[in-house]
Short mmCIF file of all heavy atoms in Angstrom, two decimals:
data_model
loop_
_atom_site.label_atom_id
_atom_site.label_comp_id
_atom_site.label_asym_id
_atom_site.label_seq_id
_atom_site.Cartn_x
_atom_site.Cartn_y
_atom_site.Cartn_z
N ALA A 1 0.85 -1.26 0.01
CA ALA A 1 0.00 0.03 -0.01
C ALA A 1 0.89 1.29 -0.01
O ALA A 1 0.57 2.26 -0.72
CB ALA A 1 -0.89 -0.03 1.14
N GLY A 2 1.97 1.22 0.79
CA GLY A 2 2.88 2.34 0.80
C GLY A 2 3.56 2.60 -0.60
O GLY A 2 3.64 3.70 -1.05
N LEU A 3 3.98 1.48 -1.20
CA LEU A 3 4.65 1.62 -2.58
C LEU A 3 3.65 2.11 -3.58
O LEU A 3 4.05 2.96 -4.43
CB LEU A 3 5.23 0.29 -2.98
CG LEU A 3 6.41 -0.27 -2.17
CD1 LEU A 3 6.74 -1.67 -2.62
CD2 LEU A 3 7.62 0.61 -2.33
N ARG A 4 2.38 1.68 -3.52
CA ARG A 4 1.43 2.12 -4.50
C ARG A 4 1.01 3.57 -4.27
O ARG A 4 0.39 4.15 -5.15
CB ARG A 4 0.22 1.14 -4.40
CG ARG A 4 0.51 -0.23 -4.92
CD ARG A 4 0.59 -0.25 -6.44
NE ARG A 4 1.06 -1.50 -6.96
CZ ARG A 4 0.30 -2.55 -7.17
NH1 ARG A 4 -1.00 -2.54 -6.89
NH2 ARG A 4 0.81 -3.66 -7.69
N SER A 5 1.27 4.11 -3.07
CA SER A 5 0.89 5.46 -2.73
C SER A 5 1.85 6.51 -3.33
O SER A 5 1.57 7.71 -3.28
CB SER A 5 0.66 5.64 -1.26
OG SER A 5 1.92 5.59 -0.59
N LEU A 6 2.97 6.02 -3.73
CA LEU A 6 4.07 6.95 -4.20
C LEU A 6 3.67 7.50 -5.54
O LEU A 6 3.02 6.83 -6.33
CB LEU A 6 5.43 6.28 -4.27
CG LEU A 6 6.05 5.80 -2.94
CD1 LEU A 6 7.34 5.05 -3.16
CD2 LEU A 6 6.20 7.01 -2.01
N ASP A 7 4.15 8.73 -5.82
CA ASP A 7 3.97 9.30 -7.10
C ASP A 7 4.71 8.54 -8.23
O ASP A 7 5.89 8.21 -8.04
CB ASP A 7 4.45 10.78 -7.11
CG ASP A 7 4.03 11.57 -8.30
OD1 ASP A 7 3.66 10.97 -9.38
OD2 ASP A 7 4.13 12.82 -8.25
N GLY A 8 4.00 8.22 -9.33
CA GLY A 8 4.61 7.45 -10.41
C GLY A 8 5.81 8.20 -11.05
O GLY A 8 6.65 7.55 -11.62
N ASP A 9 5.85 9.53 -10.84
CA ASP A 9 6.94 10.25 -11.45
C ASP A 9 8.30 9.86 -10.85
O ASP A 9 9.32 9.94 -11.50
CB ASP A 9 6.71 11.75 -11.37
CG ASP A 9 5.49 12.27 -12.16
OD1 ASP A 9 5.17 11.52 -13.13
OD2 ASP A 9 4.92 13.30 -11.86
N ILE A 10 8.31 9.48 -9.57
CA ILE A 10 9.50 9.08 -8.99
C ILE A 10 10.05 7.82 -9.54
O ILE A 10 11.26 7.78 -9.87
CB ILE A 10 9.23 8.78 -7.44
CG1 ILE A 10 8.77 10.06 -6.72
CG2 ILE A 10 10.51 8.24 -6.79
CD1 ILE A 10 8.40 9.78 -5.27
N TYR A 11 9.19 6.91 -9.93
CA TYR A 11 9.59 5.65 -10.65
C TYR A 11 10.12 5.97 -11.96
O TYR A 11 11.19 5.43 -12.35
CB TYR A 11 8.42 4.71 -10.63
CG TYR A 11 8.68 3.37 -11.19
CD1 TYR A 11 9.11 2.33 -10.40
CD2 TYR A 11 8.51 3.10 -12.59
CE1 TYR A 11 9.44 1.09 -10.89
CE2 TYR A 11 8.70 1.84 -13.09
CZ TYR A 11 9.18 0.79 -12.20
OH TYR A 11 9.50 -0.45 -12.71
N LYS A 12 9.47 6.83 -12.70
CA LYS A 12 9.89 7.18 -14.08
C LYS A 12 11.19 7.85 -14.06
O LYS A 12 12.09 7.63 -14.91
CB LYS A 12 8.82 7.97 -14.78
CG LYS A 12 7.48 7.26 -15.01
CD LYS A 12 6.43 8.14 -15.65
CE LYS A 12 5.11 7.42 -15.81
NZ LYS A 12 4.07 8.25 -16.33
N ALA A 13 11.36 8.79 -13.16
CA ALA A 13 12.65 9.58 -13.07
C ALA A 13 13.82 8.68 -12.79
O ALA A 13 14.88 8.82 -13.30
CB ALA A 13 12.50 10.73 -12.00
N ALA A 14 13.59 7.71 -11.90
CA ALA A 14 14.69 6.78 -11.56
C ALA A 14 15.00 5.88 -12.75
O ALA A 14 16.24 5.57 -13.06
CB ALA A 14 14.26 5.91 -10.40
N GLN A 15 14.05 5.53 -13.53
CA GLN A 15 14.26 4.72 -14.80
C GLN A 15 15.10 5.55 -15.74
O GLN A 15 15.98 5.06 -16.42
CB GLN A 15 12.96 4.25 -15.32
CG GLN A 15 12.33 3.09 -14.67
CD GLN A 15 11.04 2.66 -15.35
OE1 GLN A 15 10.25 3.43 -15.83
NE2 GLN A 15 10.86 1.31 -15.43
N ILE A 16 14.78 6.79 -15.94
CA ILE A 16 15.36 7.65 -16.90
C ILE A 16 16.87 7.85 -16.43
O ILE A 16 17.77 7.89 -17.34
CB ILE A 16 14.73 9.07 -16.99
CG1 ILE A 16 13.35 8.86 -17.64
CG2 ILE A 16 15.57 10.06 -17.78
CD1 ILE A 16 12.49 10.14 -17.60
N ASP A 17 17.14 7.89 -15.18
CA ASP A 17 18.50 8.06 -14.66
C ASP A 17 19.29 6.82 -14.77
O ASP A 17 20.49 6.78 -14.39
CB ASP A 17 18.46 8.56 -13.24
CG ASP A 17 17.97 9.97 -13.10
OD1 ASP A 17 18.09 10.72 -14.11
OD2 ASP A 17 17.57 10.44 -12.00
N GLY A 18 18.63 5.76 -15.15
CA GLY A 18 19.36 4.43 -15.35
C GLY A 18 19.55 3.66 -14.08
O GLY A 18 20.38 2.73 -14.05
N ALA A 19 18.66 3.90 -13.09
CA ALA A 19 18.80 3.15 -11.82
C ALA A 19 18.18 1.72 -12.06
O ALA A 19 17.20 1.50 -12.71
CB ALA A 19 18.03 3.77 -10.72
N SER A 20 18.92 0.71 -11.53
CA SER A 20 18.48 -0.72 -11.66
C SER A 20 17.24 -0.83 -10.71
O SER A 20 17.14 -0.07 -9.74
CB SER A 20 19.60 -1.62 -11.26
OG SER A 20 19.90 -1.42 -9.91
N PRO A 21 16.39 -1.85 -10.96
CA PRO A 21 15.22 -2.05 -10.12
C PRO A 21 15.54 -2.20 -8.62
O PRO A 21 14.94 -1.59 -7.78
CB PRO A 21 14.57 -3.30 -10.64
CG PRO A 21 14.99 -3.32 -12.13
CD PRO A 21 16.36 -2.76 -12.14
N ALA A 22 16.68 -3.04 -8.31
CA ALA A 22 17.03 -3.23 -6.97
C ALA A 22 17.53 -1.91 -6.34
O ALA A 22 17.09 -1.58 -5.18
CB ALA A 22 18.20 -4.26 -6.83
N ARG A 23 18.31 -1.08 -7.02
CA ARG A 23 18.80 0.11 -6.48
C ARG A 23 17.65 1.16 -6.33
O ARG A 23 17.65 1.91 -5.38
CB ARG A 23 19.90 0.73 -7.47
CG ARG A 23 20.56 1.95 -6.87
CD ARG A 23 21.64 2.47 -7.81
NE ARG A 23 22.29 3.61 -7.29
CZ ARG A 23 23.29 3.59 -6.48
NH1 ARG A 23 23.78 2.36 -6.03
NH2 ARG A 23 23.92 4.64 -6.02
N MET A 24 16.72 1.09 -7.28
CA MET A 24 15.61 2.05 -7.24
C MET A 24 14.74 1.81 -5.98
O MET A 24 14.33 2.73 -5.33
CB MET A 24 14.76 1.85 -8.52
CG MET A 24 13.54 2.75 -8.56
SD MET A 24 12.76 2.69 -10.14
CE MET A 24 12.43 0.89 -10.23
N TYR A 25 14.51 0.52 -5.68
CA TYR A 25 13.67 0.25 -4.52
C TYR A 25 14.41 0.53 -3.25
O TYR A 25 13.85 1.14 -2.26
CB TYR A 25 13.17 -1.19 -4.53
CG TYR A 25 11.94 -1.37 -5.44
CD1 TYR A 25 11.99 -1.85 -6.67
CD2 TYR A 25 10.69 -1.00 -4.93
CE1 TYR A 25 10.90 -2.04 -7.46
CE2 TYR A 25 9.58 -1.17 -5.68
CZ TYR A 25 9.64 -1.66 -6.94
OH TYR A 25 8.52 -1.82 -7.70
N LEU A 26 15.65 0.07 -3.07
CA LEU A 26 16.39 0.19 -1.90
C LEU A 26 16.84 1.64 -1.58
O LEU A 26 16.86 2.08 -0.44
CB LEU A 26 17.65 -0.72 -1.93
CG LEU A 26 17.33 -2.24 -1.92
CD1 LEU A 26 18.64 -3.02 -2.07
CD2 LEU A 26 16.57 -2.65 -0.64
N LYS A 27 17.11 2.34 -2.62
CA LYS A 27 17.71 3.78 -2.37
C LYS A 27 16.57 4.84 -2.51
O LYS A 27 16.77 5.97 -2.00
CB LYS A 27 18.75 4.02 -3.43
CG LYS A 27 19.97 3.10 -3.31
CD LYS A 27 20.73 3.36 -2.03
CE LYS A 27 22.04 2.53 -1.97
NZ LYS A 27 22.78 2.77 -0.77
N ILE A 28 15.53 4.56 -3.24
CA ILE A 28 14.51 5.63 -3.45
C ILE A 28 13.11 5.24 -2.87
O ILE A 28 12.58 5.98 -2.08
CB ILE A 28 14.38 5.85 -4.97
CG1 ILE A 28 15.72 6.29 -5.58
CG2 ILE A 28 13.33 6.91 -5.24
CD1 ILE A 28 15.81 6.39 -7.06
N MET A 29 12.59 4.13 -3.36
CA MET A 29 11.20 3.80 -2.98
C MET A 29 11.03 3.49 -1.50
O MET A 29 10.13 4.02 -0.85
CB MET A 29 10.69 2.63 -3.82
CG MET A 29 11.01 2.76 -5.33
SD MET A 29 9.89 4.02 -6.05
CE MET A 29 8.47 3.01 -6.45
N VAL A 30 11.85 2.58 -0.99
CA VAL A 30 11.73 2.18 0.42
C VAL A 30 11.95 3.39 1.42
O VAL A 30 11.19 3.61 2.30
CB VAL A 30 12.60 1.04 0.78
CG1 VAL A 30 12.63 0.68 2.31
CG2 VAL A 30 12.13 -0.23 -0.03
N PRO A 31 13.08 4.19 1.16
CA PRO A 31 13.19 5.34 2.00
C PRO A 31 11.93 6.29 1.96
O PRO A 31 11.70 6.98 2.92
CB PRO A 31 14.49 6.01 1.48
CG PRO A 31 15.21 4.81 0.90
CD PRO A 31 14.25 3.92 0.29
N ALA A 32 11.37 6.39 0.75
CA ALA A 32 10.19 7.28 0.66
C ALA A 32 8.98 6.85 1.42
O ALA A 32 8.14 7.69 1.81
CB ALA A 32 9.85 7.37 -0.84
N ILE A 33 8.93 5.54 1.77
CA ILE A 33 7.74 5.05 2.69
C ILE A 33 8.33 4.66 4.01
O ILE A 33 7.73 3.84 4.69
CB ILE A 33 7.04 3.88 1.97
CG1 ILE A 33 8.06 2.69 1.80
CG2 ILE A 33 6.45 4.23 0.67
CD1 ILE A 33 7.41 1.36 1.48
N TRP A 34 9.39 5.34 4.44
CA TRP A 34 9.99 4.97 5.71
C TRP A 34 9.02 5.03 6.95
O TRP A 34 9.06 4.15 7.78
CB TRP A 34 11.18 5.91 5.98
CG TRP A 34 11.98 5.55 7.29
CD1 TRP A 34 12.06 6.33 8.39
CD2 TRP A 34 12.61 4.35 7.57
NE1 TRP A 34 12.81 5.65 9.32
CE2 TRP A 34 13.18 4.42 8.89
CE3 TRP A 34 12.84 3.16 6.84
CZ2 TRP A 34 13.90 3.35 9.41
CZ3 TRP A 34 13.55 2.11 7.37
CH2 TRP A 34 14.08 2.21 8.67
N PRO A 35 8.14 6.00 7.01
CA PRO A 35 7.15 6.03 8.14
C PRO A 35 6.33 4.71 8.14
O PRO A 35 5.99 4.23 9.22
CB PRO A 35 6.25 7.25 7.89
CG PRO A 35 7.18 8.15 7.06
CD PRO A 35 8.02 7.29 6.28
N ILE A 36 5.95 4.22 6.98
CA ILE A 36 5.15 2.95 6.92
C ILE A 36 6.02 1.82 7.41
O ILE A 36 5.58 0.91 8.08
CB ILE A 36 4.64 2.74 5.57
CG1 ILE A 36 3.63 3.88 5.20
CG2 ILE A 36 3.96 1.38 5.42
CD1 ILE A 36 3.04 3.76 3.80
N VAL A 37 7.31 1.81 6.97
CA VAL A 37 8.21 0.73 7.34
C VAL A 37 8.34 0.72 8.90
O VAL A 37 8.32 -0.36 9.51
CB VAL A 37 9.61 0.98 6.72
CG1 VAL A 37 10.62 -0.07 7.30
CG2 VAL A 37 9.52 0.76 5.26
N VAL A 38 8.46 1.91 9.50
CA VAL A 38 8.60 1.99 10.96
C VAL A 38 7.34 1.47 11.60
O VAL A 38 7.39 0.72 12.61
CB VAL A 38 8.84 3.45 11.39
CG1 VAL A 38 8.79 3.56 12.93
CG2 VAL A 38 10.24 3.91 10.91
N SER A 39 6.15 1.82 11.02
CA SER A 39 4.82 1.31 11.58
C SER A 39 4.83 -0.18 11.56
O SER A 39 4.36 -0.85 12.52
CB SER A 39 3.72 1.95 10.81
OG SER A 39 3.74 3.35 10.92
N VAL A 40 5.29 -0.80 10.43
CA VAL A 40 5.25 -2.26 10.28
C VAL A 40 6.12 -2.88 11.34
O VAL A 40 5.80 -3.85 12.00
CB VAL A 40 5.70 -2.65 8.90
CG1 VAL A 40 5.94 -4.18 8.83
CG2 VAL A 40 4.66 -2.24 7.90
N LEU A 41 7.37 -2.34 11.57
CA LEU A 41 8.29 -2.84 12.56
C LEU A 41 7.70 -2.75 13.90
O LEU A 41 7.89 -3.73 14.72
CB LEU A 41 9.64 -2.11 12.44
CG LEU A 41 10.45 -2.28 11.13
CD1 LEU A 41 11.62 -1.45 11.19
CD2 LEU A 41 10.80 -3.74 10.94
N VAL A 42 7.08 -1.64 14.26
CA VAL A 42 6.53 -1.47 15.60
C VAL A 42 5.31 -2.50 15.82
O VAL A 42 5.22 -3.07 16.89
CB VAL A 42 6.01 -0.02 15.77
CG1 VAL A 42 5.19 0.10 17.07
CG2 VAL A 42 7.23 0.90 15.85
N ILE A 43 4.48 -2.61 14.83
CA ILE A 43 3.37 -3.57 14.95
C ILE A 43 3.88 -4.98 15.11
O ILE A 43 3.36 -5.75 16.01
CB ILE A 43 2.46 -3.48 13.67
CG1 ILE A 43 1.78 -2.12 13.67
CG2 ILE A 43 1.43 -4.59 13.67
CD1 ILE A 43 1.01 -1.85 12.36
N LEU A 44 4.92 -5.41 14.36
CA LEU A 44 5.47 -6.71 14.53
C LEU A 44 6.13 -6.89 15.84
O LEU A 44 6.06 -7.93 16.49
CB LEU A 44 6.56 -6.98 13.36
CG LEU A 44 5.96 -7.07 11.97
CD1 LEU A 44 7.09 -7.19 10.98
CD2 LEU A 44 4.93 -8.25 11.82
N LEU A 45 6.76 -5.83 16.33
CA LEU A 45 7.45 -5.90 17.62
C LEU A 45 6.42 -6.13 18.78
O LEU A 45 6.63 -6.96 19.65
CB LEU A 45 8.27 -4.59 17.92
CG LEU A 45 9.04 -4.59 19.22
CD1 LEU A 45 9.94 -5.81 19.38
CD2 LEU A 45 9.85 -3.36 19.33
N GLN A 46 5.30 -5.36 18.76
CA GLN A 46 4.34 -5.54 19.78
C GLN A 46 3.63 -6.90 19.60
O GLN A 46 3.20 -7.50 20.66
CB GLN A 46 3.34 -4.39 19.82
CG GLN A 46 2.50 -4.17 18.56
CD GLN A 46 1.24 -4.93 18.53
OE1 GLN A 46 0.75 -5.38 19.63
NE2 GLN A 46 0.56 -5.05 17.41
N MET A 47 3.46 -7.42 18.43
CA MET A 47 2.92 -8.76 18.29
C MET A 47 3.91 -9.82 18.83
O MET A 47 3.43 -10.77 19.47
CB MET A 47 2.83 -9.05 16.66
CG MET A 47 1.61 -8.30 16.08
SD MET A 47 1.51 -8.57 14.23
CE MET A 47 1.31 -10.34 14.24
N ALA A 48 5.20 -9.62 18.69
CA ALA A 48 6.16 -10.54 19.21
C ALA A 48 6.12 -10.52 20.77
O ALA A 48 6.12 -11.59 21.41
CB ALA A 48 7.58 -10.14 18.82
#
C-alpha cells in the first residue's frame, strides 16, 4: 500500500536516470515510505 501510494513520477525519473530495479527500490522507494516501514516494525514488535 505504501509503494502504491508513491507518485509514479519518482519511478519514471529513476528509470530515466538508469537506476536498476534493486537500487531504485532500496535507495528511493523504500526510504520514501519509511514512516510505513517503521509502523510495520513497531506492529510486528508488539505482536512478538
